[in-house]
Every structure is written in C-alpha cells, then in structure tokens.
Amino acid sequence: MNQAILLDNAKVIDGKGRAPFSAAVLIEGDQIAALGDEALRRVAHLQHALRIDLAGKTVMPGLIDAHCHLSFDDAASNPEIFYQRRNALSALVAAYNAKKLLRAGVTGILDPDSVFENMVDVRDAAEAGVIEAPRISCGCYALITAVGGTAGRLINDTGITGYYKSVQGKDEIMAEVRRQVKVGADWIKVHVSGVVPRYAHLGEQCSWTQEELNLICELAHDLGVPVMGHCRGSMSTYRAAKAGVDLIFHGTGMDEQALDIVIDKKIPICPTFTFQANMVDYGHRLGTDPALVTLFEREITDSTASMRRLVAAGVPLLTGSEAGFSMVPYGHWHYREMEVFMRYFGMSSLEAIHCATGAGAFALKMAGRTGVVAPGMKADLLVVDGDPSQNVGILGEPGRISQVFLDGKSVDLTPPRERKALAGWRMPSLGQQLTREFALSGISQNPPAQPEEL
Ligand SMILES: [Zn+2]
C-alpha cells in the first residue's frame, strides 16, 4: 500500500455541489479514508504518513471529460482521422497525449470511439500501469448507417473506416454489437443522427429506425453493456431515448416529445458545446467569418431553454470537450464546458463543478465510486492554487493545478517531452489558395505547410 497522505488545511470542494468547506483529507491506498476531525484522529495512529500543508489551496475531485477522443491526435479534419492514422502509432501517440490530460487535471475520460478501436488497448495499458493516463472508459467503433454521421459522403456504405463501422440490417448489427462486447467495449456507441450534404438545411436527421435502435439496446443491455448515442435533432433523441440509450451526446434541437422522454427517463446528456464556445470567443483570432461565429453561438442558444428545463427536472448534464480535434486540443479546454453551463444554462460554479466531477463518474461507469471527495471514494483529486468555485476558469491557467492524485498516487506533472512531426500523419495541404490578388497583397497569413508532415 502507498504511504498514507494527509492533505491538511485545505478548502474542499466535494463535487456534490455543496459550498466549499475546510477539512483535512486523508488518503490511504487508492482511497479517501477520512475527512476532517476523523482524518486527523486516524492519521495520529499511522506511522510514516506524509502531511502536506495546503493553506490557501483547494482540494477537489479530478475532472471527468465525458467526451474525449484520445486517438484522434488533435486532427484538423475527418479525412485526417479516416486516412492518415495508423493503428499502433495512434495508440502510442494517445499514450503521449494522455499525459497532457492528467496535467490539465483530468483524471477520467469517456472516449466514445477511436481509430482502429484502439482505445480498448490504451485503456488496458493504463489499467495495468503500462502507461500513465487518466481512467478510461471507452467504446469501440461507432455504429453508423450508410446515411452517415457528421462526415457527409465521406462515410462508406459498408465496413470500417477511421472511428466507425457501417452496419446494414439486423444481422450485421447483431454481429457487431456482440463482437464489440467481446473485445472489451465499456459502452456501445451509436451515431444516431447524421447530416446529408444535399439536405444539410434540415440539420442532422435520425438515420436509424426505431426497431434498429431497440435491437442495439436490447443486445447490449442483455450483455450488461450500456449504450451511448450521438443525437442532434428531436427524432434521433426521441428514438434513442425510447430504445433505452443510457447517455446522449449533444441532445440539441429537442422538441417537446424528446424533452418529455429524456426527463421521464432521466437520461444524462453531454451537450459538448466547448467547440462552439471557443468559436464564439476566439473565432476572430482564427479569422472565422463573423456570420459563422453567429451560427455557432446559435447552436448553443437554441438549446439554452431546453437544457435549462432538463437541469430543472434533475437530468444530469455531463461535461465533454470533444478534445481530439484541432479546435479543442488536448490539455487546454477540459474545464471549459463548465463555463458554458454557467454562462448559458444559469448554473452556479459549484453546480458546474458537480457536472464535471460527481455527475461525470457515470460516464466512467463509476458513479458513487469516484468524482466526489468523501470517505470510501477513489482518491482522484486535484490540488488547486486558489478557489475554482470563485472562478472555474482558473482550472485552465497553467500552474494552477499544483498536484494531481490518481488512485491515491501523486502524478508527475512535469510537461511531456516536446514531440516532432510524424511523417505522413497530418493531412497534406498546400495551404491558402494563391489568388493573384492575395499573392500581390504583401499579406502573409497561414504558416506554410510542414513538408515532413505531408
Ligand atoms: Zn465526439
């Protein structure tokens, strides 16, 4: 067993939504053994306990990012994920990126789908202590119909590409769900809605029948495995909820019927607005068209009333960053969804922190076992310089998270070694279009493409 550790004189945010309180926290082995006076009494009987004075600091649960793609490596496009990634190399790179998450205070992630479904191996390596990574709960390939998901006509009619498997008909659905359970999926991921380029003005549409979704849920649940659905638009959310999906990503564009069933079944929603919020606040830095920024903001504001209703009705909201894409690079924005919940859904900082910690444990299939500072919980903890309940944004400031404990062990927070470009890894690009006007303007914009990455 590790040496017992007493985190003394700290302010505690417990992850349940309660106001911060002063208490000592005693870690024994991989667990929080006691709080407050009980911790002090108990530590008096322990030999060799390490006492750390944390005056002016806050102890809180580690962040749980319920929507993070650790195998995508901050990809700039879907084609990059579909055609440039390699199996073993992407798993090794995922292990590298996992360190960035830990250093950003993330002690658990739900990775819905991965290239070569290699997150199963990354998870197993992490659990066995082969690599240093947050707790990982993962799906395998996202199940998709030929209609597709968010990649339009890039989605192949059959077979596996990138992070998805295109399944046709009952037999293929049954075979794939069973195969994924066998190889070790923690969750089954279904891309319930998809956007068809010709009909993009209709938004994402439900691409499965009710019977197909029922079948997936019945098969997975029979084997004790929960199902998560990517759902934009009311019909996809309604049908997924009716079929028994256990967790919904996005959940935007719900109508009354969809809201009623989600509220009735209390299905947790992970809206994942970090990307849109980044575009709203920082799109101008990337030269994004203001009209497009307005569209991104509308995606959030159009859902504000329904998200507020869900929260008021006791439906858990989970925080997800969709890290793995270049707009939300690993290690930078995992705290950001809390700001979205506060700004748009009217949550207090403590409610938002609860979403990112105590509530998030559900995504790890560890509800009631981590995400909360209480005796008997896994010691997945952060020591923060300052008080995140006053400003959750400090969790994104470099150096504010002075210590991270995972399973009761202190994590090495030295930055990972700087990496170099991998040959044939990024999507080749010749850069900006060279119009005559631009060529003669004297303006230089995007940095030139890196030849070794082409
Ligand atoms: Zn995603």
Side-chain angles (χ1 to χ4, degrees):
M1 197 150 99
N2 312 327
Q3 181 185 28
I5 302 167
L6 184 75
L7 306 178
D8 205 3
N9 288 324
K11 192 183 271 186
V12 175
I13 294 176
D14 68 0
K16 294 194 246 179
R18 276 204 294 166
F21 53 92
S22 295
V25 179
L26 179 64
I27 301 171
E28 281 183 55
D30 62 356
Q31 293 198 348
I32 299 166
L35 294 187
D37 291 344
E38 174 61 19
L40 297 173
R41 252 195 308 275
R42 201 164 160 143
V43 80
H45 300 287
L46 293 174
Q47 285 180 337
H48 313 303
L50 175 68
R51 182 183 170 280
I52 306 174
D53 190 333
L54 296 178
K57 302 204 173 182
T58 304
V59 173
M60 64 176 280
L63 302 179
I64 296 169
D65 189 334
H67 192 165
C68 179
H69 299 277
L70 198 48
S71 73
F72 292 1
D73 193 29
D74 297 336
S77 67
N78 276 308
E80 187 176 306
I81 297 168
F82 292 168
Y83 305 114
Q84 300 295 102
R85 295 289 175 263
R86 287 132 66 182
N87 191 355
L89 189 55
S90 63
L92 291 166
V93 172
Y96 174 90
N97 286 324
K99 294 182 183 174
K100 296 187 192 170
L101 267 62
L102 282 169
R103 282 147 185 76
V106 178
T107 53
I109 64 165
L110 170 53
D111 190 315
D113 44 66
S114 49
V115 293
F116 307 97
E117 62 186 10
N118 59 20
M119 207 41 58
V120 168
D121 294 329
V122 174
R123 175 203 63 198
D124 288 355
E127 286 182 2
V130 174
I131 64 166
E132 189 190 41
R135 294 182 191 283
I136 297 170
S137 184
C138 68
C140 287
Y141 292 118
L143 302 185
I144 215 163
T145 69
V147 172
T150 49
R153 290 173 67 167
L154 277 175
I155 300 294
N156 287 312
D157 299 338
T158 57
I160 292 163
T161 311
Y163 55 74
Y164 69 85
K165 175 153 184 178
S166 212
V167 287
Q168 317 300 328
K170 201 174 159 192
D171 291 348
E172 277 189 35
I173 291 171
M174 292 180 76
E176 181 60 11
V177 171
R178 287 175 171 151
R179 190 197 63 79
Q180 291 194 3
V181 172
K182 177 179 68 186
V183 303
D186 295 307
W187 293 78
I188 300 296
K189 163 81 184 280
V190 189
H191 239 295
V192 186
S193 61
V195 65
V196 179
R198 175 73 173 168
Y199 303 106
H201 58 285
L202 300 175
E204 287 189 33
Q205 301 178 69
C206 187
S207 54
W208 301 78
T209 66
Q210 185 67 61
E211 290 68 33
E212 288 170 324
L213 294 171
N214 291 350
L215 178 64
I216 293 168
C217 289
E218 190 190 332
L219 285 166
H221 290 164
D222 265 358
L223 294 163
V225 176
V227 180
M228 52 191 170
H230 162 114
C231 304
R232 284 199 180 102
S234 54
M235 189 51 75
S236 61
T237 306
Y238 174 72
R239 284 191 190 159
K242 197 171 172 204
V245 160
D246 304 272
L247 168 62
I248 290 172
F249 293 112
H250 309 299
T252 48
M254 281 192 227
D255 62 5
E256 286 298 314
Q257 184 182 232
L259 277 167
D260 282 347
I261 192 164
V262 168
I263 289 170
D264 190 42
K265 295 190 165 196
K266 298 271 186 297
I267 302 168
I269 308 280
C270 182
T272 321
F273 281 130
T274 293
F275 176 93
Q276 288 86 343
N278 274 358
M279 290 306 280
V280 171
D281 286 353
Y282 310 115
H284 64 283
R285 297 212 165 267
L286 299 168
T288 309
D289 183 341
L292 200 58
V293 170
T294 307
L295 269 183
F296 280 118
E297 179 148 44
R298 205 176 302 150
E299 252 192 271
I300 308 178
T301 52
D302 281 355
S303 292
T304 298
S306 45
M307 292 296 167
R308 283 175 181 248
R309 248 181 81 182
L310 295 174
V311 172
V315 173
L317 290 199
L318 311 186
T319 55
S321 67
E322 192 96 80
F325 291 96
S326 58
M327 285 297 303
V328 275
Y330 302 116
H332 290 254
W333 303 107
H334 305 281
Y335 71 97
R336 174 83 161 131
E337 194 79 352
M338 289 186 274
E339 292 182 337
V340 175
F341 287 5
M342 291 169 68
R343 189 196 300 180
Y344 294 99
F345 309 156
M347 282 191 193
S348 70
S349 58
L350 289 162
E351 287 165 337
I353 290 170
H354 165 68
C355 293
T357 57
F362 171 82
L364 305 178
K365 303 209 300 192
M366 291 184 72
R369 288 192 288 147
T370 188
V372 167
V373 185
M377 296 285 163
K378 292 283 184 189
D380 300 342
L381 300 169
L382 310 182
V383 176
V384 185
D385 188 5
D387 181 358
S389 73
Q390 300 296 314
N391 174 13
V392 295
I394 66 170
L395 290 165
E397 291 174 9
R400 283 286 193 162
I401 297 173
S402 58
Q403 230 173 336
V404 176
F405 292 92
L406 178 62
D407 256 337
K409 291 189 205 71
S410 184
V411 174
D412 173 14
L413 296 186
T414 50
R417 268 202 300 188
E418 211 176 309
R419 62 186 257 205
K420 297 174 190 143
L422 289 159
W425 191 246
R426 299 294 175 198
M427 201 66 193
S429 166
L430 296 176
Q432 170 130 357
Q433 195 180 57
L434 189 64
T435 60
R436 190 171 180 282
E437 188 189 14
F438 177 69
L440 302 179
S441 68
I443 300 168
S444 57
Q445 277 188 357
N446 296 334
Q450 295 292 316
E452 68 271 29
E453 292 200 354
L454 291 183

